[in-house]
Structure formats: structure tokens, C-alpha cells
Amino acid sequence: MDITKILSGLRLSSTLSAPLYLQIATALAAKIQDFTLPTGTKLPPERELSRLLGVSRTTAINAYRLLEERGLVSTRIGSGTFVSNDAPTFSQQTPTMPWEQLFTPGYKAPLSSIMRSLIDSPTADETISMAAGMPDPAFYPLDMIHSQLDIRRHPIDPTDLGLIATEGYLPLRRSLSAWQTRLGNSASADQILIVSGSQQGLYLVVKAFIEPRDYVIVESPTYLGAIQLLESSGARLLCLPPSGKIDMEIFEDYLVRYRPKFFYTMSDFQNPTGRTMTLAERQELIRLAARHRLTIIEDDPYSQLYYGAPPPPSLKQLDTYGGVIHLGTFSKVLFPGLRTGWVHAAPTVINRLAQEKQYVDLHTNNLAQMMLNTYLVEDALPAHLSSVRREYKKRRNAMAAAIRKYCGPLMDFDLSEGGLYLWGRMGSSVSPSELLRRSAALGISFVPGDAFYAHGLASHEIRLCFATHDEERLIEGIRRLGRALSAVSATASTAAESAGRPII
Ligand SMILES: Cc1ncc(COP(=O)(O)O)c(C=O)c1O
């Protein structure tokens, strides 16, 4: 038995969500259980295993440790690691389900683990997380929640706690349409569908409109959640070239050549770049879209978080042909756990989306909808918005000043006029993932730019959220980022010099 051959034939993948040690242990366990590695076989020492598989020694040690815990191998000090004499055989093991084989053939989002780790509470530990687009819990309107939960002050009509219309709690649809109309996005209640966050709104739109191989135009970079959803639907993404503004020639070329199903965009304070479309760009977009009967999905979590002048009118407001579907959410302005957002579109579209929503959750949680309705009816939102705008503006300014001070010439950025992010651009010799590794060791995090590009385009950018922490922690976070960046740049320069390459 050539054990080296057996082991070097093991297939490992760094893109799978399972860690490498677990992949190795699982593969070895399978070989033990099908007797390819019979009882008593001496396994290679950890150092040799790590060399054979091209992994670190710690990974090899952890794999053996796990197999030992499961009783499949035993370690004899001074002799090595052996397949146990009493290794449980297949017949002795509890039968397991081959889940992976039973799932429908599906898209494996290479970035889904990024999304999940972003959602991990950024304030739960000592790490200064500038990764997730999370508002600061200190600004959550707790007074409103406490008052709403006081049933004596706000008696609940028990019939409101039963099943309600999929489209949403009618009083909320009315108060939301009044709020949107006040902002210029004129809406009637039958044009509003309440959804469990705008991510669900986007999901319903994709379900209703997209068939595999349909084309969709997206900006580049764009929201990670949209890339994942669209790719999982089988859509083909037409990416607009990264630039400060939309290239209308390419946009029209896409329309004529590919007849895309829709254009997905964030017109205000885009995630991740913070960019806002000019009024002229919006008007030109609408002109082209109207001419080609193109649906536009305007995803708008950030328009009310402006730190200077309010942004220009939304695409929905400028819509001359009824083709804009507007997605809104309370996640960024109130709190993300509320899971309440809305879709504003033509009643025909709302009906179709409601049908899709019915298959998913019947309707969005009543209590959250009732709470929001009172909040809107009492007109408490404008004061809350003024207060968070004031605070986030201070934080944006603090982060910007700290980047200039600590990251100096190594990082460039444009000052976002709203939203939650600064988009840092670095030299092409700096690898954002290497920077993230070093930053994690210093107790800070951010999102590497690659996450926001479809088609795996390499990026030398990072997204920094300035909303989650107060100014003092943000400045400390950026000071550490500066240290990590200097170290990564110095290493990159040395490597380039020793390779005789010019340093860019
Ligand atoms: C552009 C964009 N769309 C949608 C969402 C999801 O929002 P919600 O919490 O309402 O589902 C986010 C959250 O970060 C976002 O940035």
C-alpha cells in the first residue's frame, strides 16, 4: 500500500466553507472506514502530512487530533499515529444522511461566508469592526420600543395579531405611503408591499423577474447581497466599468445588445463606494430606460442618511414611464433587527411580488409593523433622522481625518456625502486580504473590496463602515489600520524590489 499516493490524492479546497483540518479529517476518516487505510496502518508524521497536502503543520495536527477524538486513530508517544484497532466501522456508526447529494443543484456562493461573518455582532467583542454596515446600537430608539411594548399605552386590537394581508398591515402601508410622498416619492398604499427587510424585497423581485441566463446590469462594485442573489438565480451580470459615474454609452450598448431584464442600482450613497448619482446622470438613465422599456431596481437604504445637502430626487421620483421599482428599509435608519422594509412599485408588480412573498412567509411580522406605524403616525422619524445624521457626520469626519493622518499616502478615498461607508483605495501592490489578516491580528476588521465585484475581479480597495463605533474607537481603529497598511506595503515593496520589478 502506497500511503503517500493515497494521501496526496486527497482533494482539498480552500474555497469550501469547511476548514482545511476538517476536510482532511473527513477524507482520512472515509479512507479508514472503507479500509483503504486498514487497522494498524501507520500514518505519516504531522510534518510529512502537512508537506504532502500543502497545509500548515497546525492544520495537520488539528486533523489528527479530531480523528483521535473520534476514535479512528491513536497516537503512541515516540512511535507515531496509527489507525485504531477498534476504529468504528461503517456498520457500527450511526447512519448519516448524504445531505449534499440531496440538495437541488445549486449555486455555491463563494462569498456567502463573508456575508455571514459580517452579520456577526461587531460590538460583541473587543474587535473594532468597521466591516458590517451596522448602525450603532446606542442610537436605536429604545424609548419608542419601550413605549410601544406598553400595552396599556398602546392597546392592541387582538384581531391585528392574526394573519393579515401579505401586502402588509394596512395602516402601515398608508402611513408609509404618506411618508414617501412627503419625501417626493409619491405613493399610494396599493403601491406599497411591506417586506421583511429590503433583502427580501430584492429576493422577491428576482424570483418574479429572473430566469436562468437572463441578463441584469449592475454597477461595479455593488452590494454583495445583490451579487450573491443574482448569481444564485442564474442571471448573467453585465457589469458597468468601475468609474466615478455611469458610462451611458456602455449602458445603452448593453440595452441594445443584451435586452437585460433590469438594472440594479443604488442611486444614493452607494454601498460600498458612498457615491451618489448626479441629477444629470439620473435624468439620462431614465431617458434611456424609458426608451428601452428597461426596469430599474432602485435599492435605497441610505438616502435619508445625508451629511450635507439631501441627495437629488430619486429615480422613482423622476420615473416618467412607470418602470422604477423602489426598495426601502428601516434597517439603517432605525435598527436592522426590525426586519421591515418595503417595495414601492406599480400595483401589478406589487400583486405579483405579494404572490411570491406568500410562498415564503405569508406576511411580515405584525408587531414590528404596528410599532412602525405608530412611530410614523406620531411623526417621530424626522427628529430621529436629524439626530443620527448629526452623529454619523461627526464619525465620518473623524474617520476621514484619521485616514489622512495614519494611512497618509498609502490610502486614498472620496469623502462620502452620506451613507455609512468610506471606500479606501490603495496601491496595486497591496493585497486587501493580506491587510485584513494583519488587521485582524491588531483587533480590527473591514471588508476587502473583492467582495463587491462580480466575476471575481481583483480589487485594491476596502470598505470601512464609520457608523458602528464612536469617534474615539474609530480613530483607534484607523491608527491600527495604518500600522497594518505600512507593514503590508513595506513587505510588498521588498518583495517587488527583490524580484526586480518596479514598485507601483
Ligand atoms: C444596498 C443594500 N440593500 C439591501 C440591504 C439589506 O437591507 P435589509 O436589512 O433591509 O434587508 C443592505 C444592507 O446592508 C444594503 O446595503
mmCIF file of all heavy atoms in Angstrom, residues 133 196-200 202 223 264 266 271 299-302 328-332 336 339-341 421 463, ligand 1:
data_model
loop_
_atom_site.group_PDB
_atom_site.id
_atom_site.type_symbol
_atom_site.label_atom_id
_atom_site.label_comp_id
_atom_site.label_asym_id
_atom_site.label_seq_id
_atom_site.Cartn_x
_atom_site.Cartn_y
_atom_site.Cartn_z
ATOM 1 N N GLY A 133 -22.199 46.873 7.801
ATOM 2 C CA GLY A 133 -22.883 48.173 7.683
ATOM 3 C C GLY A 133 -23.929 48.278 8.773
ATOM 4 O O GLY A 133 -25.122 48.311 8.496
ATOM 5 N N SER A 196 -39.882 41.784 4.715
ATOM 6 C CA SER A 196 -39.045 41.548 5.898
ATOM 7 C C SER A 196 -37.615 41.989 5.594
ATOM 8 O O SER A 196 -36.702 41.178 5.485
ATOM 9 C CB SER A 196 -39.098 40.076 6.286
ATOM 10 O OG SER A 196 -40.444 39.688 6.447
ATOM 11 N N GLY A 197 -37.431 43.270 5.405
ATOM 12 C CA GLY A 197 -36.117 43.815 5.037
ATOM 13 C C GLY A 197 -36.032 43.950 3.527
ATOM 14 O O GLY A 197 -36.681 43.203 2.785
ATOM 15 N N SER A 198 -35.208 44.920 3.063
ATOM 16 C CA SER A 198 -35.172 45.117 1.613
ATOM 17 C C SER A 198 -34.460 43.963 0.920
ATOM 18 O O SER A 198 -34.626 43.758 -0.275
ATOM 19 C CB SER A 198 -34.557 46.459 1.241
ATOM 20 O OG SER A 198 -33.315 46.604 1.831
ATOM 21 N N GLN A 199 -33.682 43.193 1.680
ATOM 22 C CA GLN A 199 -33.080 41.992 1.066
ATOM 23 C C GLN A 199 -34.206 41.072 0.585
ATOM 24 O O GLN A 199 -34.111 40.477 -0.483
ATOM 25 C CB GLN A 199 -32.197 41.281 2.102
ATOM 26 C CG GLN A 199 -31.459 40.070 1.569
ATOM 27 C CD GLN A 199 -30.343 40.414 0.588
ATOM 28 O OE1 GLN A 199 -29.692 41.443 0.708
ATOM 29 N NE2 GLN A 199 -30.130 39.552 -0.392
ATOM 30 N N GLN A 200 -35.281 40.966 1.359
ATOM 31 C CA GLN A 200 -36.397 40.140 0.907
ATOM 32 C C GLN A 200 -37.074 40.782 -0.309
ATOM 33 O O GLN A 200 -37.476 40.083 -1.238
ATOM 34 C CB GLN A 200 -37.436 39.927 2.015
ATOM 35 C CG GLN A 200 -38.495 38.938 1.576
ATOM 36 C CD GLN A 200 -39.622 38.768 2.576
ATOM 37 O OE1 GLN A 200 -40.346 39.701 2.903
ATOM 38 N NE2 GLN A 200 -39.771 37.553 3.068
ATOM 39 N N LEU A 202 -35.682 42.474 -2.601
ATOM 40 C CA LEU A 202 -34.832 42.165 -3.755
ATOM 41 C C LEU A 202 -35.016 40.701 -4.178
ATOM 42 O O LEU A 202 -35.111 40.380 -5.365
ATOM 43 C CB LEU A 202 -33.376 42.452 -3.355
ATOM 44 C CG LEU A 202 -32.329 42.433 -4.443
ATOM 45 C CD1 LEU A 202 -32.694 43.375 -5.573
ATOM 46 C CD2 LEU A 202 -30.958 42.835 -3.856
ATOM 47 N N TYR A 223 -23.487 46.106 -4.228
ATOM 48 C CA TYR A 223 -23.862 45.453 -2.965
ATOM 49 C C TYR A 223 -23.658 43.928 -3.060
ATOM 50 O O TYR A 223 -24.200 43.273 -3.963
ATOM 51 C CB TYR A 223 -25.329 45.807 -2.683
ATOM 52 C CG TYR A 223 -25.983 45.059 -1.555
ATOM 53 C CD1 TYR A 223 -25.386 44.966 -0.304
ATOM 54 C CD2 TYR A 223 -27.227 44.463 -1.735
ATOM 55 C CE1 TYR A 223 -26.003 44.291 0.724
ATOM 56 C CE2 TYR A 223 -27.865 43.792 -0.704
ATOM 57 C CZ TYR A 223 -27.239 43.696 0.520
ATOM 58 O OH TYR A 223 -27.851 43.023 1.538
ATOM 59 N N TYR A 264 -29.918 46.979 -11.694
ATOM 60 C CA TYR A 264 -29.960 47.079 -10.234
ATOM 61 C C TYR A 264 -28.993 48.191 -9.814
ATOM 62 O O TYR A 264 -27.813 48.157 -10.184
ATOM 63 C CB TYR A 264 -29.535 45.749 -9.587
ATOM 64 C CG TYR A 264 -29.278 45.901 -8.107
ATOM 65 C CD1 TYR A 264 -30.324 45.954 -7.202
ATOM 66 C CD2 TYR A 264 -27.978 46.050 -7.626
ATOM 67 C CE1 TYR A 264 -30.096 46.145 -5.845
ATOM 68 C CE2 TYR A 264 -27.736 46.235 -6.270
ATOM 69 C CZ TYR A 264 -28.803 46.287 -5.388
ATOM 70 O OH TYR A 264 -28.573 46.481 -4.045
ATOM 71 N N MET A 266 -27.982 51.564 -6.782
ATOM 72 C CA MET A 266 -28.226 52.383 -5.583
ATOM 73 C C MET A 266 -27.870 53.803 -5.990
ATOM 74 O O MET A 266 -26.693 54.106 -6.194
ATOM 75 C CB MET A 266 -27.295 51.950 -4.443
ATOM 76 C CG MET A 266 -27.658 50.644 -3.805
ATOM 77 S SD MET A 266 -26.196 49.898 -3.031
ATOM 78 C CE MET A 266 -25.468 49.049 -4.414
ATOM 79 N N ASN A 271 -23.518 51.534 -1.665
ATOM 80 C CA ASN A 271 -22.771 50.543 -0.896
ATOM 81 C C ASN A 271 -21.982 49.722 -1.908
ATOM 82 O O ASN A 271 -22.608 49.049 -2.735
ATOM 83 C CB ASN A 271 -23.763 49.648 -0.133
ATOM 84 C CG ASN A 271 -23.085 48.527 0.627
ATOM 85 O OD1 ASN A 271 -21.878 48.438 0.658
ATOM 86 N ND2 ASN A 271 -23.882 47.658 1.243
ATOM 87 N N ASP A 299 -32.374 50.438 -5.203
ATOM 88 C CA ASP A 299 -32.254 49.946 -3.826
ATOM 89 C C ASP A 299 -31.796 51.134 -2.974
ATOM 90 O O ASP A 299 -30.720 51.686 -3.206
ATOM 91 C CB ASP A 299 -31.217 48.809 -3.804
ATOM 92 C CG ASP A 299 -31.238 48.039 -2.499
ATOM 93 O OD1 ASP A 299 -32.025 48.399 -1.611
ATOM 94 O OD2 ASP A 299 -30.461 47.075 -2.366
ATOM 95 N N ASP A 300 -32.616 51.486 -1.989
ATOM 96 C CA ASP A 300 -32.384 52.766 -1.329
ATOM 97 C C ASP A 300 -32.410 52.673 0.199
ATOM 98 O O ASP A 300 -33.343 53.135 0.845
ATOM 99 C CB ASP A 300 -33.468 53.754 -1.833
ATOM 100 C CG ASP A 300 -33.456 55.061 -1.067
ATOM 101 O OD1 ASP A 300 -32.421 55.382 -0.447
ATOM 102 O OD2 ASP A 300 -34.477 55.765 -1.088
ATOM 103 N N PRO A 301 -31.359 52.072 0.796
ATOM 104 C CA PRO A 301 -31.353 52.055 2.269
ATOM 105 C C PRO A 301 -30.793 53.330 2.884
ATOM 106 O O PRO A 301 -30.930 53.553 4.072
ATOM 107 C CB PRO A 301 -30.412 50.888 2.603
ATOM 108 C CG PRO A 301 -30.002 50.273 1.314
ATOM 109 C CD PRO A 301 -30.282 51.254 0.230
ATOM 110 N N TYR A 302 -30.105 54.170 2.059
ATOM 111 C CA TYR A 302 -29.256 55.203 2.650
ATOM 112 C C TYR A 302 -29.666 56.651 2.368
ATOM 113 O O TYR A 302 -29.053 57.562 2.900
ATOM 114 C CB TYR A 302 -27.804 55.006 2.159
ATOM 115 C CG TYR A 302 -27.260 53.636 2.467
ATOM 116 C CD1 TYR A 302 -27.088 52.678 1.466
ATOM 117 C CD2 TYR A 302 -26.944 53.285 3.773
ATOM 118 C CE1 TYR A 302 -26.597 51.406 1.760
ATOM 119 C CE2 TYR A 302 -26.464 52.013 4.081
ATOM 120 C CZ TYR A 302 -26.295 51.084 3.063
ATOM 121 O OH TYR A 302 -25.827 49.842 3.376
ATOM 122 N N GLY A 328 -37.062 50.132 -0.098
ATOM 123 C CA GLY A 328 -36.669 50.923 1.073
ATOM 124 C C GLY A 328 -36.593 50.026 2.298
ATOM 125 O O GLY A 328 -37.097 48.899 2.300
ATOM 126 N N THR A 329 -35.959 50.533 3.346
ATOM 127 C CA THR A 329 -35.806 49.738 4.567
ATOM 128 C C THR A 329 -35.615 50.644 5.782
ATOM 129 O O THR A 329 -35.121 51.767 5.649
ATOM 130 C CB THR A 329 -34.586 48.793 4.453
ATOM 131 O OG1 THR A 329 -34.430 48.092 5.687
ATOM 132 C CG2 THR A 329 -33.294 49.536 4.154
ATOM 133 N N PHE A 330 -35.994 50.125 6.951
ATOM 134 C CA PHE A 330 -35.728 50.849 8.195
ATOM 135 C C PHE A 330 -34.463 50.331 8.880
ATOM 136 O O PHE A 330 -34.114 50.762 9.969
ATOM 137 C CB PHE A 330 -36.930 50.719 9.151
ATOM 138 C CG PHE A 330 -38.127 51.498 8.672
ATOM 139 C CD1 PHE A 330 -39.160 50.861 7.996
ATOM 140 C CD2 PHE A 330 -38.192 52.867 8.864
ATOM 141 C CE1 PHE A 330 -40.252 51.588 7.538
ATOM 142 C CE2 PHE A 330 -39.273 53.599 8.407
ATOM 143 C CZ PHE A 330 -40.306 52.964 7.738
ATOM 144 N N SER A 331 -33.775 49.376 8.229
ATOM 145 C CA SER A 331 -32.618 48.727 8.866
ATOM 146 C C SER A 331 -31.509 49.690 9.226
ATOM 147 O O SER A 331 -30.875 49.550 10.262
ATOM 148 C CB SER A 331 -32.033 47.662 7.936
ATOM 149 O OG SER A 331 -32.864 46.545 7.914
ATOM 150 N N LYS A 332 -31.232 50.649 8.354
ATOM 151 C CA LYS A 332 -30.074 51.518 8.602
ATOM 152 C C LYS A 332 -30.466 52.753 9.402
ATOM 153 O O LYS A 332 -29.650 53.294 10.123
ATOM 154 C CB LYS A 332 -29.431 51.944 7.277
ATOM 155 C CG LYS A 332 -29.113 50.795 6.349
ATOM 156 C CD LYS A 332 -28.066 49.861 6.914
ATOM 157 C CE LYS A 332 -27.850 48.674 5.986
ATOM 158 N NZ LYS A 332 -26.886 47.710 6.491
ATOM 159 N N PRO A 336 -31.479 47.137 12.336
ATOM 160 C CA PRO A 336 -31.608 46.059 11.347
ATOM 161 C C PRO A 336 -32.476 44.895 11.816
ATOM 162 O O PRO A 336 -33.117 44.237 11.004
ATOM 163 C CB PRO A 336 -30.171 45.600 11.091
ATOM 164 C CG PRO A 336 -29.308 46.303 12.058
ATOM 165 C CD PRO A 336 -30.086 47.371 12.728
ATOM 166 N N ARG A 339 -36.231 44.113 10.780
ATOM 167 C CA ARG A 339 -36.519 43.358 9.553
ATOM 168 C C ARG A 339 -37.785 43.884 8.875
ATOM 169 O O ARG A 339 -38.709 43.130 8.559
ATOM 170 C CB ARG A 339 -36.658 41.836 9.820
ATOM 171 C CG ARG A 339 -35.530 41.153 10.522
ATOM 172 C CD ARG A 339 -34.158 41.413 9.942
ATOM 173 N NE ARG A 339 -34.039 41.165 8.517
ATOM 174 C CZ ARG A 339 -33.392 41.996 7.682
ATOM 175 N NH1 ARG A 339 -32.808 43.103 8.117
ATOM 176 N NH2 ARG A 339 -33.326 41.714 6.409
ATOM 177 N N THR A 340 -37.838 45.147 8.683
ATOM 178 C CA THR A 340 -39.001 45.712 7.993
ATOM 179 C C THR A 340 -38.548 46.709 6.933
ATOM 180 O O THR A 340 -37.812 47.651 7.225
ATOM 181 C CB THR A 340 -39.954 46.409 8.989
ATOM 182 O OG1 THR A 340 -40.190 45.511 10.064
ATOM 183 C CG2 THR A 340 -41.283 46.734 8.340
ATOM 184 N N GLY A 341 -38.988 46.433 5.730
ATOM 185 C CA GLY A 341 -38.705 47.326 4.614
ATOM 186 C C GLY A 341 -39.921 47.358 3.711
ATOM 187 O O GLY A 341 -40.997 46.871 4.077
ATOM 188 N N TYR A 421 -20.376 54.429 4.707
ATOM 189 C CA TYR A 421 -19.064 53.880 4.357
ATOM 190 C C TYR A 421 -18.094 54.886 3.740
ATOM 191 O O TYR A 421 -18.509 55.804 3.033
ATOM 192 C CB TYR A 421 -19.236 52.752 3.322
ATOM 193 C CG TYR A 421 -20.359 51.803 3.662
ATOM 194 C CD1 TYR A 421 -21.555 51.837 2.954
ATOM 195 C CD2 TYR A 421 -20.216 50.893 4.710
ATOM 196 C CE1 TYR A 421 -22.602 50.976 3.276
ATOM 197 C CE2 TYR A 421 -21.257 50.037 5.041
ATOM 198 C CZ TYR A 421 -22.451 50.077 4.319
ATOM 199 O OH TYR A 421 -23.469 49.238 4.645
ATOM 200 N N ARG A 463 -13.732 48.474 2.197
ATOM 201 C CA ARG A 463 -14.881 49.244 2.674
ATOM 202 C C ARG A 463 -14.793 49.386 4.189
ATOM 203 O O ARG A 463 -14.641 48.394 4.908
ATOM 204 C CB ARG A 463 -16.193 48.550 2.305
ATOM 205 C CG ARG A 463 -17.403 49.454 2.532
ATOM 206 C CD ARG A 463 -18.700 48.691 2.444
ATOM 207 N NE ARG A 463 -18.930 47.886 3.640
ATOM 208 C CZ ARG A 463 -20.010 47.134 3.843
ATOM 209 N NH1 ARG A 463 -20.946 47.074 2.914
ATOM 210 N NH2 ARG A 463 -20.150 46.433 4.957
HETATM 211 C C1 LIG B 1 -27.763 48.197 -0.684
HETATM 212 C C2 LIG B 1 -28.397 47.323 0.337
HETATM 213 N N1 LIG B 1 -29.543 46.694 0.052
HETATM 214 C C3 LIG B 1 -30.146 45.909 0.948
HETATM 215 C C4 LIG B 1 -29.616 45.719 2.196
HETATM 216 C C5 LIG B 1 -30.346 44.823 3.151
HETATM 217 O O1 LIG B 1 -31.139 45.568 3.986
HETATM 218 P P1 LIG B 1 -32.258 44.942 4.934
HETATM 219 O O2 LIG B 1 -31.663 44.851 6.300
HETATM 220 O O3 LIG B 1 -33.391 45.879 4.872
HETATM 221 O O4 LIG B 1 -32.624 43.598 4.386
HETATM 222 C C6 LIG B 1 -28.418 46.348 2.540
HETATM 223 C C7 LIG B 1 -27.807 46.120 3.837
HETATM 224 O O5 LIG B 1 -26.625 46.348 4.042
HETATM 225 C C8 LIG B 1 -27.798 47.182 1.585
HETATM 226 O O6 LIG B 1 -26.653 47.835 1.847
#
